[in-house]
Amino acid sequence: MEQNNPPKPELKAILSDAFSYWNRTLSFQLIYSLLFFSLFFLGYLYLFQRFGLWEEYAKYLEVAKNDIPALNEKMKEFAALPQMGSFILSVFILLALLNPLNVGFYKIYRKIDLGEKPELNDLFAGYLGFNFFKYFGFYLFWFIVFSYGNSLLVLGLVWIFITLFSVPLMFFMDVKTFDGIAITIKGLRRDFPTMVVALFVALLFGLSGILLFGFGFLFTFPFWNAMIYSLYQHYFKELS
């Protein structure tokens, strides 16, 4: 298994491919967003209640009603509650359970490249067999590290970039987590400025759906996957 080194692609080609993948899978984007957000909010509310945070939150809110400085002070006390650590870890586990949905997009986009018709069950490729444990473990590890790195903004950004291609590399080349990070770093060194611009476009477009009465966000939110796959296709090549 090797990594090919084709000539540096043009930004225009990367963006064009990303928007093409996204545009051809709008129904999958909607299904993904509905599943992701509905399951996340249901799980979040359940955990909030499970750890007794509803009662504590109502108590602090009642005490500090109509007093913003007092409310801010109470929220600091709320964040320091002993069960908050377990609650946050549970939220990370919830996110790790949901994020294998992203893996399905890589299978869908590859099918498009091969001229095959994507199917709804392709969206759940990250949950099949051992794949589930592999991606669940990766995403749980990712969120835990990110939570620490995000305390210093720069470290959080660094973590995002050095794991940018970890999942497609794991899916297509079956590499280990740290091998994927090493390969990603090599890819970033080849053409970092172009990748930064492409990801900035992905971020802006992903958030732009909020402007369309909020509902458009359900379509634009998953665009990040299309951009990562487009970059992967242009900068990496798996060989059998």
Side-chain angles (χ1 to χ4, degrees), residues 2-3 58 96 135-136 190 205:
E2 300 177 7
Q3 184 182 4
Y135 297 118
F136 169 77
R190 288 188 56 222
F205 185 75

Side-chain angles (χ1 to χ4, degrees), residues 118-145:
E119 301 175 352
L120 181 59
N121 61 351
D122 293 330
L123 193 59
F124 303 98
Y127 293 94
L128 299 179
F130 179 73
N131 276 350
F132 167 73
F133 299 100
K134 179 169 66 172
Y135 297 118
F136 169 77
F138 169 80
Y139 281 116
L140 183 58
F141 171 65
W142 193 95
F143 283 112
I144 291 174
V145 173

Side-chain angles (χ1 to χ4, degrees), residues 24 27 32 38 74-76 103 111 147 150 155 183 191 203 208 228 235-236:
R24 295 173 66 179
S27 60
Y32 166 91
S38 61
K74 290 298 181 182
M75 287 301 98
K76 292 179 183 178
V103 178
K111 273 193 165 185
S147 68
N150 201 40
L155 293 182
I183 295 173
D191 198 4
L203 177 63
S208 68
I228 291 177
Y235 288 98
F236 299 90

Side-chain angles (χ1 to χ4, degrees), residues 94-114:
L94 173 62
L95 287 169
L97 288 170
L98 295 176
N99 270 276
L101 278 172
N102 294 298
V103 178
F105 278 113
Y106 300 130
K107 182 175 182 179
I108 289 170
Y109 298 145
R110 178 54 58 88
K111 273 193 165 185
I112 290 175
D113 286 341
L114 295 175

